[in-house]
Amino acid sequence: MGNTTFNQLKDLLKKRILIIDGAMGTMIQRYKPTEETYRGERFKDWHRDLKGFNDLFVMTQPDMIRDIHKAYLEAGADIIETNTFGSTSIAMEDFGMQDLAYEMNVAAARLAKEACAEYNAKTPNKPRFVAGSIGPLNRSLSLSPDVNDPGYRSVTWDQVVASYTEQVRGLIDGGADIILLETVFDTLNCKAGIFAIDEYCRVNKIQIPIMISGTIVDMSGRTLSGQTTEAFWISISHTKNLISVGLNCALGVAQMRPFIEELSKHASCFTSLYPNAGLPNAFGGYDETPSQMAEVMEDYIQNSFVNIIGGCCGTTPDHIKLMVEAAEHKEPRTPAEPLPFLRLSGLEPVVVRENANFMNIGERTNVTGSRKFARLIVNGNYEEALSVARDQVDGGAQVLDINMDEGMLDSEEVMAKFINLMAAEPDIAKLPFMVDSSKWSVIEAGLKCCQGKSVVNSISMKEGEEAFKNMARRVLQYGAAVVVMAFDEQGQADNYERRIQICAKAYKILTEEVGFPPQDIIFDPNILTVATGIEEHNNYAVDYIKATKWIKENLPLAKVSGGVSNVSFSFRGNDTVREAIHSAFLYHAIKAGMDMGIVNAGQLEIYEEIPKELLEKVEDVLLNRRPDSTERLVDFAETIKQKGKAEVVAEEWRNGTVQDRLTHALVR
Ligand code: THG
């Protein structure tokens, strides 16, 4: 299978609105199936009740399913869905049928394909497509089923990937033209599905178009796992061969308006909408009539919100027929062309626009960077460890760096556990996460728990180019951005030349060989400790800043970051001096183009407020302005008493007048 279906669909979607079919369940109900209908001949002695397992009909009542497919094709659908919404080994465990998953998917895809073939033969100029339906599963990777244990998950990423891979294999073997991940309420499950499809296609050297359709649970417009529409789009936008993104199920067609409008504004692919025929009524039925739905759809078409329309629960061939009419001879929406900004997400989006302000990445959720956090994690006091994360958010962090690299810990397990716990705290989970480890296995363990678009911290050419490329490709599959350290087989870059040479090489490999979006590359040209007394270290800050400027001027769209607190390790124990060093360092590095930094959020001194004498001595060191600058700063530091300043200041400003408080808040 080449990319021909993808191109064929793309060409069609440029010309007209395509129609996807309506509900399977509603049609099945018309047959009033009994337990015996479900069982058919093959499962008449099955040890579990099977009533309600609609997917089973592809094996036990194939004629019924084929007839339903035909009814939708007859109504004018261009795309019909396989009857496989729940046909994964994981969901089929409920019926003791997990071993039949592959067979069911093959059977279902074949039925749909046969029905399409019949119509394609009749109308060769109107090709019909089979979308292999993949549902969201009955187990969630983002949500705990146990209210008393928010970090618990009833399934693992690897299990979901394995189960989806089997389903994908069955659907493709049975002849599906498209894979449709639908009714996504948990973006992490969806990302595992994307990963499964991508890996399956990579291994088998095939390509298949993908459609993704999310669902929302109420008028807040959030997914069940809590994401806003834009955050959802950002989280899945790495999907290769993505033909469309959209919404289905959920509310009635009219209530979908703000959310499909929002999605259509952001999505660089085509969009789809196939809602329920209204909300379920008291009897579990659906009341919106074909003409009511078609009328609203027509409005959405006029407003260029949609490229593919159809129906979900409660819709029938009559609904589809009127949608076909509503879509006829209409101009289809043109996909959005989002600017190439770095876009991250947690429950909410973070977009790093051109000329964006400096972005704070909270450093404290790091067992090697905070004794307190390390103690809490080692002792299993996760409750309080979460408050460390929360304090960083309150202190202004826009991303959280998480590091669990400590010899006494099972870092993979603890990384996963802590991220899962943070996922249950909306005030923390609204932020994107930066998964920080020097071990790739720990980074992967973290990525498997992030529903948003996170940042990998970090990869480098330390173990050679092949290893580097392999990690970068994996990062793409997980849908993350990446920090690249200026490190190669010869070691860490510690001068200007090595810094820019390594970054330039990494950029070339990533953009030209791996296909990494340049805006998702964040270089870290090594913030190393100054004022150590070793002469070779004197130019470290200068070289970092110079390298930053070079990267920003020569590696288009790439970002620059760094671990800011590293620079001042020589002054451990003297926070006043350290904070002055950090803010003076940032003042110059940001001017040179530094986009973001790992910092102790909430503890950054304001440059203009650094006492003159201290600032001069600090800048002498940072900018390597005189040979004795280290001694002079060390001597001066002795004279500065620790005041526990940050805390005091933080409270004092609240006693000012309204004018003073506003000024303070604005300056901050
Ligand atoms: N680049 C990238 N990632 C990084 C770093 C980097 N991750 C880790 C580190 N460096 C950045 N994070 C920190 C976190 C804390 C400190 C320094 C860097 C720190 N901690 C206090 C200390 O060691 O004195 C501890 C204080 C305490 O125990 O409370 O300074 O460079 N990509």
Side-chain angles (χ1 to χ4, degrees):
M1 207 182 311
N3 229 354
T4 46
T5 318
F6 185 82
N7 289 329
Q8 196 184 4
L9 275 164
K10 228 169 139 172
D11 288 343
L12 276 172
L13 283 161
K14 279 182 197 160
K15 289 191 205 117
R16 63 183 180 89
I17 312 271
L18 294 190
I19 309 295
I20 189 165
D21 61 6
M24 184 59 77
T26 321
M27 296 297 283
I28 288 172
Q29 285 320 307
R30 292 184 178 176
Y31 291 79
K32 303 208 180 342
T34 63
E35 179 69 34
E36 279 60 49
T37 324
Y38 281 91
R39 288 176 177 261
E41 196 40 40
R42 178 164 170 188
F43 300 107
K44 66 176 194 289
D45 298 323
W46 196 255
H47 58 290
R48 303 252 181 107
D49 282 353
L50 297 175
K51 194 168 177 195
F53 187 26
N54 284 348
D55 293 12
L56 189 56
F57 288 137
V58 302
M59 295 210 280
T60 56
Q61 308 294 341
D63 291 342
M64 179 208 301
I65 301 302
R66 197 183 292 109
D67 286 347
I68 296 173
H69 285 322
K70 284 192 200 168
Y72 280 119
L73 289 167
E74 193 60 42
D78 301 288
I79 302 169
I80 58 167
E81 288 189 40
T82 56
N83 186 36
T84 53
F85 187 78
S87 303
T88 47
S89 53
I90 290 177
M92 287 169 71
E93 265 173 49
D94 288 357
F95 304 96
M97 289 193 156
Q98 57 279 5
D99 296 337
L100 298 172
Y102 172 77
E103 190 189 340
M104 287 225 340
N105 283 285
V106 174
R110 279 200 184 131
L111 276 177
K113 193 74 181 173
E114 279 164 25
C116 279
E118 213 180 298
Y119 277 79
N120 285 348
K122 282 194 238 169
T123 58
N125 58 336
K126 184 180 155 97
R128 326 275 180 139
F129 301 88
V130 173
S133 158
I134 296 187
L137 297 186
N138 50 353
R139 291 164 195 254
S140 162
L141 285 168
S142 294
L143 304 162
S144 172
D146 178 357
V147 282
N148 297 312
D149 189 358
Y152 172 72
R153 297 294 181 270
S154 59
V155 69
T156 67
W157 166 281
D158 291 343
Q159 288 167 340
V160 173
V161 169
S163 191
Y164 275 153
T165 302
E166 180 186 38
Q167 184 171 29
V168 167
R169 187 163 60 86
L171 290 169
I172 292 179
D173 288 353
D177 304 299
I178 302 167
I179 298 290
L180 167 58
L181 287 161
E182 64 175 338
T183 324
V184 173
F185 57 77
D186 179 339
T187 311
L188 193 51
N189 283 32
C190 180
K191 281 173 71 177
I194 295 165
F195 187 96
I197 299 165
D198 190 53
E199 188 61 12
Y200 184 82
C201 289
R202 187 181 73 82
V203 170
N204 294 284
K205 300 188 169 59
I206 57 167
Q207 286 179 305
I208 191 156
I210 301 180
M211 294 174 66
I212 295 178
S213 180
T215 194
I216 49 183
V217 286
D218 56 37
M219 288 305 285
S220 75
R222 298 218 179 208
T223 61
L224 189 65
S225 54
Q227 281 189 317
T228 65
T229 307
E230 188 183 353
F232 168 67
W233 159 248
I234 291 170
S235 305
I236 57 127
S237 58
H238 62 290
T239 311
K240 261 185 254 162
N241 296 319
L242 183 61
I243 199 88
S244 70
V245 66
L247 297 166
N248 72 291
C249 208
L251 317 164
V253 62
Q255 289 93 328
M256 294 289 223
R257 187 186 177 102
F259 315 117
I260 190 67
E261 178 173 12
E262 169 92 355
L263 200 51
S264 80
K265 204 170 71 190
H266 297 291
S268 58
C269 57
F270 297 102
T271 54
S272 68
L273 181 67
Y274 53 106
N276 290 349
L279 289 165
N281 61 29
F283 310 101
Y286 297 85
D287 299 327
E288 267 175 29
T289 63
S291 61
Q292 281 171 329
M293 281 189 88
E295 196 179 312
V296 182
M297 283 293 193
E298 198 163 344
D299 177 42
Y300 294 172
I301 294 169
Q302 302 291 7
N303 282 286
S304 295
F305 296 161
V306 285
N307 300 96
I308 302 170
I309 59 170
C312 202
C313 310
T315 58
T316 64
D318 289 340
H319 289 82
I320 296 307
K321 216 181 205 156
L322 287 199
M323 288 194 202
V324 171
E325 284 170 22
E328 239 158 21
H329 311 302
K330 300 274 165 50
E331 270 297 299
R333 161 186 174 274
T334 311
E337 286 174 37
L339 292 165
F341 297 141
L342 168 62
R343 290 161 209 270
L344 304 173
S345 59
L347 299 182
E348 287 165 24
V350 170
V351 182
V352 184
R353 298 191 163 76
E354 220 171 51
N355 308 318
N357 281 335
F358 182 75
M359 188 160 84
N360 292 306
I361 304 163
E363 70 173 21
R364 290 281 125 173
T365 38
N366 179 340
V367 291
T368 63
S370 161
R371 275 172 298 254
K372 178 182 166 192
F373 187 71
R375 182 167 34 79
L376 295 172
I377 294 294
V378 170
N379 295 335
N381 187 351
Y382 283 94
E383 197 59 39
E384 229 185 293
L386 283 172
S387 74
V388 173
R390 190 171 290 109
D391 287 348
Q392 293 288 283
V393 182
D394 293 343
Q398 290 141 292
V399 175
L400 290 180
D401 183 74
I402 309 86
N403 182 307
M404 298 293 183
D405 287 350
E406 141 75 49
M408 280 169 56
L409 295 171
D410 179 342
S411 302
E412 287 86 358
E413 191 190 312
V414 177
M415 178 64 85
K417 175 151 194 195
F418 190 64
I419 293 181
N420 282 339
L421 282 165
M422 288 197 295
E425 307 286 328
D427 52 338
I428 300 171
K430 70 181 181 192
L431 302 200
F433 300 144
M434 179 177 264
V435 184
D436 184 351
S437 177
S438 53
K439 258 175 83 183
W440 175 251
S441 57
V442 179
I443 288 180
E444 265 196 299
L447 291 174
K448 290 173 180 178
C449 303
C450 295
Q451 72 165 322
K453 179 171 173 184
S454 31
V455 185
V456 165
N457 182 14
S458 57
I459 64 171
S460 78
M461 296 188 287
K462 194 192 280 194
E463 272 123 38
E465 286 174 32
E466 263 333 290
F468 176 67
K469 280 188 253 183
N470 287 336
M471 288 186 288
R473 292 198 177 103
R474 279 285 183 223
V475 174
L476 275 184
Q477 287 187 299
Y478 284 106
V482 73
V483 174
V484 177
M485 300 297 300
F487 214 123
D488 67 8
E489 279 165 300
Q490 282 136 54
Q492 190 173 35
D494 60 1
N495 60 40
Y496 170 70
E497 281 304 328
R498 288 252 307 146
R499 279 177 166 96
I500 66 169
Q501 174 240 320
I502 293 175
C503 291
K505 182 163 187 185
Y507 184 86
K508 197 169 154 63
I509 291 173
L510 288 176
T511 55
E512 292 176 16
E513 291 181 53
V514 179
F516 217 95
Q519 65 271 24
D520 288 359
I521 303 171
I522 302 163
F523 283 110
D524 185 332
N526 302 325
I527 299 183
L528 304 174
T529 310
V530 294
T532 59
I534 300 169
E535 207 187 310
E536 289 81 70
H537 301 178
N538 289 351
N539 223 42
Y540 275 171
V542 174
D543 284 347
Y544 173 91
I545 292 167
K546 262 174 72 184
T548 296
K549 190 163 188 308
W550 187 90
I551 290 166
K552 296 298 290 182
E553 284 169 358
N554 292 279
L555 306 178
L557 302 176
K559 309 287 176 291
V560 173
S561 179
V564 176
S565 302
N566 307 343
V567 72
S568 64
F569 278 145
S570 309
F571 294 91
R572 275 194 163 128
N574 192 333
D575 283 350
T576 309
V577 172
R578 285 192 75 176
E579 281 159 33
I581 295 176
H582 298 162
S583 64
F585 176 86
L586 283 176
Y587 177 81
H588 296 285
I590 291 169
K591 266 209 286 192
M594 186 182 183
D595 300 278
M596 63 192 83
I598 307 173
V599 298
N600 187 354
Q603 291 244 328
L604 282 178
E605 172 84 275
I606 291 166
Y607 182 77
E608 283 74 16
E609 289 177 8
I610 303 173
K612 271 246 137 27
E613 204 183 348
L614 175 59
L615 178 63
E616 189 193 308
K617 293 192 166 59
V618 162
E619 288 189 332
D620 282 347
V621 165
L622 288 174
L623 306 177
N624 195 11
R625 289 195 296 214
R626 42 192 292 166
D628 60 350
S629 50
T630 295
E631 287 145 67
R632 280 162 46 97
L633 181 57
V634 170
D635 290 344
F636 187 73
E638 301 283 322
T639 71
I640 298 174
K641 283 195 290 292
Q642 285 295 107
K643 290 171 245 157
K645 171 192 53 89
E647 231 79 3
V648 180
V649 172
E651 285 317 307
E652 238 169 38
W653 69 273
R654 293 187 182 277
N655 301 329
T657 63
V658 173
Q659 181 65 48
D660 288 346
R661 277 180 281 154
L662 275 174
T663 308
H664 175 92
L666 280 172
V667 169
R668 290 269 150 185

